[in-house]
Amino acid sequence: STLDFTMRELTILALMCLISHNFFVETTVQKKTGSSAVKITAVRLFHSFAGAVILNYLLPLSVDGAKGSAAAVKPSETLSAALEGWLYNSFFLIIQILILITLLLILQRVLEEFGIIGKLTAMFRPLMKIMGLPESVSFLWIVANTLGLAYGSAIMIEQSQQGKLTRDDADILNHHIGISHSLLEDTLLFVAIGVPAAWIIFPRLFLAVVQVWSMKLAARIRRQFFL
Protein backbone atom coordinates (compact mmCIF):
# COMPACT_ATOMS: atom_id res chain seq x y z
CA SER A 1 0.00 0.00 0.00
CA THR A 2 3.03 2.30 0.28
CA LEU A 3 3.95 1.85 -3.40
CA ASP A 4 2.44 3.67 -6.34
CA PHE A 5 0.58 0.70 -7.86
CA THR A 6 -2.82 0.79 -9.48
CA MET A 7 -5.33 -1.70 -8.07
CA ARG A 8 -4.93 -3.75 -11.24
CA GLU A 9 -1.15 -3.98 -10.79
CA LEU A 10 -1.55 -4.68 -7.08
CA THR A 11 -3.97 -7.55 -7.79
CA ILE A 12 -1.54 -9.19 -10.23
CA LEU A 13 1.38 -8.79 -7.84
CA ALA A 14 -0.72 -10.15 -4.95
CA LEU A 15 -1.51 -13.31 -6.92
CA MET A 16 2.18 -13.84 -7.69
CA CYS A 17 3.15 -13.35 -4.04
CA LEU A 18 0.43 -15.73 -2.81
CA ILE A 19 1.74 -18.49 -5.06
CA SER A 20 5.47 -17.84 -4.59
CA HIS A 21 6.55 -16.95 -1.06
CA ASN A 22 8.22 -18.35 2.06
CA PHE A 23 10.23 -20.94 0.09
CA PHE A 24 12.72 -21.63 2.88
CA VAL A 25 10.06 -22.82 5.33
CA GLU A 26 7.33 -24.21 3.11
CA THR A 27 9.58 -26.05 0.65
CA THR A 28 11.58 -27.56 3.51
CA VAL A 29 8.52 -29.14 5.13
CA GLN A 30 7.27 -30.37 1.76
CA LYS A 31 10.65 -31.97 1.07
CA LYS A 32 10.31 -33.95 4.30
CA THR A 33 7.22 -35.69 2.88
CA GLY A 34 9.08 -36.80 -0.25
CA SER A 35 8.70 -34.00 -2.78
CA SER A 36 11.63 -32.51 -4.67
CA ALA A 37 12.46 -29.06 -3.31
CA VAL A 38 13.81 -27.93 -6.68
CA LYS A 39 10.73 -29.14 -8.54
CA ILE A 40 8.29 -27.62 -6.05
CA THR A 41 10.11 -24.27 -6.20
CA ALA A 42 10.19 -24.32 -10.01
CA VAL A 43 6.48 -25.22 -10.20
CA ARG A 44 5.48 -22.42 -7.85
CA LEU A 45 7.61 -19.85 -9.70
CA PHE A 46 6.26 -20.98 -13.07
CA HIS A 47 2.64 -20.75 -11.94
CA SER A 48 3.15 -17.36 -10.31
CA PHE A 49 4.24 -15.96 -13.69
CA ALA A 50 1.57 -17.94 -15.55
CA GLY A 51 -1.06 -16.54 -13.19
CA ALA A 52 0.24 -13.02 -13.77
CA VAL A 53 -0.03 -13.45 -17.55
CA ILE A 54 -3.56 -14.84 -17.26
CA LEU A 55 -4.71 -12.02 -14.98
CA ASN A 56 -3.13 -9.45 -17.28
CA TYR A 57 -5.43 -10.66 -20.05
CA LEU A 58 -8.54 -11.23 -17.93
CA LEU A 59 -8.56 -8.24 -15.59
CA PRO A 60 -10.49 -5.18 -16.73
CA LEU A 61 -8.45 -2.00 -17.19
CA SER A 62 -10.05 -0.60 -14.06
CA VAL A 63 -10.27 -2.91 -11.04
CA ASP A 64 -12.65 -1.98 -8.25
CA GLY A 65 -11.16 -1.78 -4.79
CA ALA A 66 -10.21 0.92 -2.34
CA LYS A 67 -6.48 0.87 -1.72
CA GLY A 68 -5.77 0.69 2.00
CA SER A 69 -3.81 3.44 3.63
CA ALA A 70 -0.19 2.80 4.48
CA ALA A 71 0.82 2.44 8.08
CA ALA A 72 2.65 5.36 9.61
CA VAL A 73 6.38 5.09 9.07
CA LYS A 74 8.33 4.85 12.31
CA PRO A 75 11.53 6.79 12.87
CA SER A 76 14.60 4.85 11.78
CA GLU A 77 15.94 2.45 14.38
CA THR A 78 19.47 1.39 15.11
CA LEU A 79 20.56 -2.01 13.81
CA SER A 80 20.82 -3.45 17.32
CA ALA A 81 17.28 -2.28 18.17
CA ALA A 82 15.93 -3.75 14.93
CA LEU A 83 17.65 -7.10 15.60
CA GLU A 84 16.40 -7.16 19.17
CA GLY A 85 12.84 -6.58 17.98
CA TRP A 86 13.22 -9.26 15.30
CA LEU A 87 14.52 -11.84 17.80
CA TYR A 88 11.73 -11.00 20.25
CA ASN A 89 9.00 -11.36 17.62
CA SER A 90 10.57 -14.51 16.15
CA PHE A 91 10.73 -16.20 19.54
CA PHE A 92 7.04 -15.67 20.23
CA LEU A 93 6.15 -16.67 16.66
CA ILE A 94 7.98 -20.00 17.13
CA ILE A 95 6.11 -20.59 20.40
CA GLN A 96 2.79 -19.86 18.69
CA ILE A 97 3.62 -22.23 15.82
CA LEU A 98 4.61 -25.04 18.21
CA ILE A 99 1.40 -24.62 20.21
CA LEU A 100 -0.77 -24.51 17.08
CA ILE A 101 0.86 -27.57 15.51
CA THR A 102 0.50 -29.49 18.79
CA LEU A 103 -3.19 -28.57 18.98
CA LEU A 104 -3.63 -29.59 15.35
CA LEU A 105 -2.10 -33.01 15.98
CA ILE A 106 -4.36 -33.46 19.03
CA LEU A 107 -7.37 -32.39 16.96
CA GLN A 108 -6.43 -34.88 14.27
CA ARG A 109 -6.29 -37.75 16.81
CA VAL A 110 -9.65 -36.72 18.29
CA LEU A 111 -11.25 -36.53 14.84
CA GLU A 112 -9.82 -39.94 13.95
CA GLU A 113 -11.03 -41.46 17.23
CA PHE A 114 -14.61 -40.33 16.67
CA GLY A 115 -14.63 -41.15 12.95
CA ILE A 116 -15.06 -37.53 11.89
CA ILE A 117 -12.14 -37.61 9.44
CA GLY A 118 -13.88 -40.47 7.62
CA LYS A 119 -17.03 -38.37 7.36
CA LEU A 120 -15.03 -35.36 6.11
CA THR A 121 -13.35 -37.59 3.55
CA ALA A 122 -16.73 -38.79 2.26
CA MET A 123 -18.10 -35.23 2.23
CA PHE A 124 -15.17 -33.87 0.22
CA ARG A 125 -14.85 -36.90 -2.09
CA PRO A 126 -16.56 -35.20 -5.10
CA LEU A 127 -14.38 -32.09 -4.74
CA MET A 128 -11.21 -34.16 -4.44
CA LYS A 129 -12.20 -36.09 -7.55
CA ILE A 130 -12.70 -32.90 -9.55
CA MET A 131 -9.31 -31.56 -8.44
CA GLY A 132 -7.59 -34.87 -9.21
CA LEU A 133 -6.56 -35.47 -5.60
CA PRO A 134 -6.91 -38.77 -3.69
CA GLU A 135 -9.79 -38.67 -1.21
CA SER A 136 -7.42 -39.72 1.60
CA VAL A 137 -5.91 -36.21 1.64
CA SER A 138 -9.23 -34.40 2.27
CA PHE A 139 -8.40 -33.46 5.88
CA LEU A 140 -4.88 -32.33 4.94
CA TRP A 141 -6.30 -30.21 2.10
CA ILE A 142 -8.71 -28.53 4.54
CA VAL A 143 -5.90 -27.78 7.01
CA ALA A 144 -3.56 -26.41 4.32
CA ASN A 145 -6.26 -24.13 2.92
CA THR A 146 -7.49 -22.79 6.24
CA LEU A 147 -4.35 -22.60 8.41
CA GLY A 148 -1.58 -22.72 5.85
CA LEU A 149 0.87 -24.96 4.05
CA ALA A 150 3.43 -25.20 6.85
CA TYR A 151 0.85 -26.39 9.40
CA GLY A 152 -0.72 -28.83 6.94
CA SER A 153 2.68 -30.25 6.08
CA ALA A 154 3.42 -30.85 9.76
CA ILE A 155 0.51 -33.29 9.84
CA MET A 156 1.60 -34.72 6.48
CA ILE A 157 5.04 -35.46 7.92
CA GLU A 158 3.51 -37.37 10.81
CA GLN A 159 1.14 -39.34 8.55
CA SER A 160 3.99 -40.16 6.15
CA GLN A 161 6.16 -41.44 9.01
CA GLN A 162 3.28 -43.59 10.26
CA GLY A 163 2.61 -45.00 6.80
CA LYS A 164 -0.88 -43.46 6.60
CA LEU A 165 0.05 -41.32 3.59
CA THR A 166 1.84 -42.73 0.56
CA ARG A 167 4.73 -40.87 -1.05
CA ASP A 168 2.80 -40.43 -4.32
CA ASP A 169 -0.29 -39.03 -2.57
CA ALA A 170 1.86 -36.64 -0.53
CA ASP A 171 3.73 -35.48 -3.64
CA ILE A 172 0.63 -34.73 -5.67
CA LEU A 173 -0.96 -32.90 -2.73
CA ASN A 174 2.26 -30.92 -2.23
CA HIS A 175 2.11 -29.66 -5.80
CA HIS A 176 -1.52 -28.60 -5.34
CA ILE A 177 -1.13 -26.83 -2.01
CA GLY A 178 2.19 -25.34 -3.07
CA ILE A 179 0.23 -23.27 -5.59
CA SER A 180 -3.03 -22.87 -3.68
CA HIS A 181 -2.98 -22.79 0.12
CA SER A 182 -4.07 -20.62 3.03
CA LEU A 183 -7.09 -19.40 1.10
CA LEU A 184 -8.34 -17.77 4.29
CA GLU A 185 -5.45 -16.08 6.12
CA ASP A 186 -3.12 -15.16 3.25
CA THR A 187 -6.00 -13.89 1.12
CA LEU A 188 -7.27 -11.62 3.89
CA LEU A 189 -3.86 -9.94 4.11
CA PHE A 190 -4.32 -8.56 0.60
CA VAL A 191 -8.06 -8.01 0.91
CA ALA A 192 -7.18 -5.67 3.79
CA ILE A 193 -5.45 -3.33 1.32
CA GLY A 194 -8.30 -3.48 -1.17
CA VAL A 195 -7.43 -6.40 -3.49
CA PRO A 196 -10.62 -8.18 -4.71
CA ALA A 197 -10.72 -11.64 -3.11
CA ALA A 198 -12.15 -13.49 -6.12
CA TRP A 199 -9.25 -12.50 -8.38
CA ILE A 200 -6.66 -13.98 -5.99
CA ILE A 201 -8.58 -17.10 -4.92
CA PHE A 202 -10.03 -18.72 -8.04
CA PRO A 203 -6.91 -18.34 -10.26
CA ARG A 204 -4.85 -20.15 -7.59
CA LEU A 205 -7.37 -22.98 -7.38
CA PHE A 206 -7.51 -23.21 -11.17
CA LEU A 207 -3.72 -23.33 -11.56
CA ALA A 208 -3.42 -25.93 -8.78
CA VAL A 209 -5.98 -28.17 -10.47
CA VAL A 210 -4.23 -27.74 -13.84
CA GLN A 211 -0.92 -28.75 -12.24
CA VAL A 212 -2.37 -31.91 -10.66
CA TRP A 213 -4.14 -33.08 -13.81
CA SER A 214 -1.02 -32.31 -15.89
CA MET A 215 1.03 -34.50 -13.55
CA LYS A 216 -1.50 -37.32 -13.81
CA LEU A 217 -1.59 -37.02 -17.61
CA ALA A 218 2.21 -37.06 -17.80
CA ALA A 219 2.34 -40.14 -15.55
CA ARG A 220 -0.21 -41.92 -17.74
CA ILE A 221 1.76 -41.12 -20.90
CA ARG A 222 4.97 -42.43 -19.31
CA ARG A 223 3.26 -45.69 -18.34
CA GLN A 224 1.81 -46.24 -21.82
CA PHE A 225 4.75 -45.28 -24.00
CA PHE A 226 7.92 -45.58 -21.94
CA LEU A 227 7.34 -48.57 -19.65
Side-chain angles (χ1 to χ4, degrees):
S1 61
T2 62
L3 300 176
D4 188 25
F5 289 131
T6 65
M7 186 52 63
R8 189 176 191 275
E9 293 168 338
L10 189 59
T11 302
I12 294 174
L13 183 59
L15 178 68
M16 296 184 74
C17 290
L18 287 169
I19 296 173
S20 294
H21 64 267
N22 201 13
F23 285 122
F24 291 108
V25 175
E26 295 179 345
T27 306
T28 298
V29 292
Q30 288 188 301
K31 183 180 179 181
K32 289 186 177 181
T33 57
S35 295
S36 165
V38 173
K39 185 179 178 183
I40 288 287
T41 301
V43 164
R44 293 181 69 182
L45 284 171
F46 170 80
H47 281 286
S48 68
F49 282 94
V53 172
I54 292 171
L55 275 196
N56 188 45
Y57 280 102
L58 294 181
L59 279 174
L61 294 178
S62 178
V63 178
D64 294 331
K67 191 173 180 180
S69 58
V73 178
K74 296 181 180 179
S76 58
E77 298 177 332
T78 63
L79 178 60
S80 59
L83 287 174
E84 183 180 346
W86 174 77
L87 287 171
Y88 178 84
N89 292 329
S90 297
F91 174 76
F92 282 99
L93 177 60
I94 291 171
I95 297 299
Q96 291 171 10
I97 290 174
L98 289 174
I99 292 173
L100 183 53
I101 289 177
T102 302
L103 291 175
L104 272 174
L105 295 174
I106 294 172
L107 175 62
Q108 178 200 356
R109 299 290 176 82
V110 172
L111 294 179
E112 285 179 345
E113 184 67 25
F114 289 93
I116 298 177
I117 287 185
K119 295 178 181 178
L120 286 173
T121 298
M123 185 186 306
F124 280 84
R125 184 179 294 121
L127 180 60
M128 295 296 107
K129 189 173 183 179
I130 291 172
M131 295 191 297
L133 297 171
E135 62 182 64
S136 59
V137 303
S138 297
F139 178 68
L140 296 171
W141 184 88
I142 294 171
V143 172
N145 279 285
T146 52
L147 297 177
L149 190 154
Y151 303 122
S153 294
I155 298 179
M156 288 176 63
I157 291 171
E158 186 196 44
Q159 290 200 353
S160 297
Q161 292 174 344
Q162 295 178 352
K164 297 179 181 178
L165 185 68
T166 67
R167 186 186 182 94
D168 288 342
D169 287 355
D171 186 53
I172 201 166
L173 177 62
N174 275 333
H175 282 79
H176 178 101
I177 62 179
I179 299 166
S180 176
H181 62 270
S182 197
L183 295 178
L184 180 63
E185 182 184 7
D186 286 358
T187 300
L188 289 177
L189 293 175
F190 287 98
V191 170
I193 57 173
V195 177
W199 286 112
I200 54 177
I201 290 177
F202 294 111
R204 282 188 284 161
L205 282 170
F206 171 76
L207 291 170
V209 171
V210 168
Q211 173 64 31
V212 168
W213 281 109
S214 297
M215 291 174 63
K216 298 184 80 169
L217 177 61
R220 184 174 181 179
I221 291 173
R222 285 196 300 270
R223 286 195 299 269
Q224 288 184 346
F225 297 99
F226 298 102
L227 295 180

